[in-house]
Amino acid sequence: MTYDPNNVFAKILRGEIPCKKVYEDDFALAFHDINPRAPVHVLVIPKGPYVSMADFTLKAPAELVAGFIRAVGTVARQLGVEEQGYRILANSGANAHQEVPHLHIHIFAGRPLGPMLVERK
Ligand code: 5GP
């Protein structure tokens, strides 16, 4: 999948549309999901044009890969969800129902989150 520079998260990164920011550093931006599926539902995105984790780890400089992963952990700590527990998830491609073609890590927390997938093989 090629990167579409007009995807909604690229626009958020450029400041063209607003977000409810949770955290930002040189490598990542974190903000509340517009349609939360849990009491805490935050998205963490890297600052760069990457569609998926596979694309990101192939093309991004090592400093950005490390900085982005570190930011995900920082956000989890900052949200205060470590003790009760949380889930991180990244959808990639059609089978995973990826809606926005810019790599994003979902952080879900604030209630028991149930099984990882609906049981169907
Ligand atoms: P995906 O299915 O691609 O993993 O998830 C995309 C997520 O982005 C969805 O949970 C959706 O609610 C969220 N989203 C889509 N558009 C916007 C937006 O403009 N602002 C924010 N904050 N979240 C968005």
Side-chain angles (χ1 to χ4, degrees):
M1 196 192 285
T2 54
Y3 186 79
D4 171 9
N6 287 318
N7 77 74
V8 69
F9 293 168
K11 290 181 179 174
I12 286 175
L13 272 180
R14 292 195 296 265
E16 292 167 12
I17 58 174
C19 70
K20 283 172 64 184
K21 194 197 294 187
V22 170
Y23 175 81
E24 182 170 17
D25 63 20
D26 288 346
F27 309 109
L29 175 69
F31 51 89
H32 292 282
D33 196 290
I34 206 167
N35 180 24
R37 269 64 149 220
V40 176
H41 185 175
V42 166
L43 303 170
V44 191
I45 66 174
K47 289 189 171 177
Y50 307 102
V51 175
S52 65
M53 187 62 82
D55 184 40
F56 180 60
T57 53
L58 186 67
K59 296 178 186 159
E63 189 189 26
L64 178 55
V65 175
F68 174 63
I69 299 297
R70 193 166 282 132
V72 174
T74 300
V75 172
R77 279 197 305 279
Q78 186 180 303
L79 291 168
V81 297
E82 281 208 289
E83 191 166 331
Q84 297 269 309
Y86 61 99
R87 179 170 294 154
I88 61 176
L89 180 148
N91 293 314
S92 297
N95 275 2
H97 288 241
Q98 182 178 8
E99 286 173 22
V100 181
H102 182 117
L103 172 60
H104 49 285
I105 302 280
H106 297 258
I107 300 178
F108 301 103
R111 64 166 168 79
L113 294 166
M116 187 165 61
L117 289 175
V118 176
E119 291 300 330
R120 187 155 57 88
K121 289 186 180 155

